[in-house]
Amino acid sequence: MLAIGRCRECGRAFCMSHQAHNEVTGEGYAALCIQCLERRTRVAGGGDARSDARAATERTWVTSGQAAMDLYAAGIAPLPVVERHSRFVKQRLGRAREEIDEIEVGALWVIGRFEWTEMQEIPETREWTTGLLARPAGGYPVAMVARAVARCKVTDGLATVIRDAPYGDSYTQLERREIPRIIAAIRKQISG
């Protein structure tokens, strides 16, 4: 593999598959390898190995798409996700009429309200209605839980995904502490 960086802590070169990534945002650390990130986590007291393994298994359950399959198997139907497209059509006498089309672009299950941080000059954290995507962009598996869920608005049985950047949701981040709560909410929907 081609080396893309050198670890600041151990000095070894690393390729993309050995680059450390932020668990929440999915962005790679420019100068940190996976081994040094794991060492940092152990030194910081990442908890006992059994609970860490259980949490990793739960995250994998969501990121692999198995959570979505389990919701389907439980007979819980997702809400359609629609996008509104509007255009102005010229009529007689120079008037224009707005035509609005609602196009179904996917589906999601509403799982509750969870905290997201909008990265602005002054970051703002607030609760948003959050849904588990039936088919995220690129499909399952996804790199992290934050790519399997999205902020949304629900009206009249239809969901609208909230995007604040032209190429995805890069300016808003799911709070890491919300991941276990999201997993618990999905499990509750399946069992309930």
Side-chain angles (χ1 to χ4, degrees):
M1 286 289 194
L2 183 65
I4 61 164
R6 184 167 297 280
C7 183
R8 185 176 295 148
E9 292 186 11
C10 67
R12 289 183 293 208
F14 57 83
C15 63
M16 287 181 71
S17 63
H18 290 93
Q19 180 182 20
H21 287 80
N22 183 315
E23 182 179 334
V24 176
T25 65
E27 297 175 2
Y29 293 113
L32 190 64
C33 67
I34 289 176
Q35 293 86 358
C36 289
L37 179 64
E38 289 172 355
R39 185 171 44 251
R40 277 185 183 181
T41 305
R42 281 193 309 270
V43 170
D48 64 28
R50 197 173 304 154
S51 66
D52 289 346
R54 187 172 41 248
T57 302
E58 292 290 310
R59 285 193 305 273
T60 302
W61 176 68
V62 174
T63 59
S64 68
Q66 188 60 47
M69 297 302 291
D70 290 349
L71 283 163
Y72 277 123
I76 303 169
L79 292 177
V81 175
V82 296
E83 285 184 358
R84 295 183 75 192
H85 297 275
S86 65
R87 64 180 181 276
F88 290 93
V89 178
K90 289 189 177 187
Q91 292 184 311
R92 292 183 290 167
L93 304 174
R95 294 184 181 165
R97 177 187 72 209
E98 182 179 17
E99 290 184 356
I100 300 172
D101 296 326
E102 289 186 342
I103 301 168
E104 188 174 330
V105 294
L108 60 76
W109 292 272
V110 176
I111 52 177
R113 294 182 61 83
F114 300 96
E115 289 184 352
W116 294 72
T117 300
E118 295 181 39
M119 305 308 285
Q120 305 164 3
E121 288 181 24
I122 301 173
E124 177 186 355
T125 301
R126 65 182 192 158
E127 286 190 344
W128 283 93
T129 301
T130 305
L132 176 68
L133 297 167
R135 289 173 296 281
Y140 284 109
V142 292
M144 68 198 104
V145 174
R147 296 287 181 242
V149 297
R151 297 179 303 144
C152 61
K153 290 183 181 177
V154 178
T155 53
D156 300 327
L158 299 174
T160 305
V161 174
I162 299 169
R163 293 187 176 97
D164 58 358
Y167 300 107
D169 216 44
S170 60
Y171 300 123
T172 305
Q173 299 175 356
L174 176 67
E175 286 294 314
R176 181 180 183 166
R177 67 180 173 271
E178 296 290 15
I179 293 173
R181 290 185 56 223
I182 286 173
I183 293 168
I186 296 169
R187 291 238 184 247
K188 185 177 178 183
Q189 277 191 359
I190 292 169
S191 65

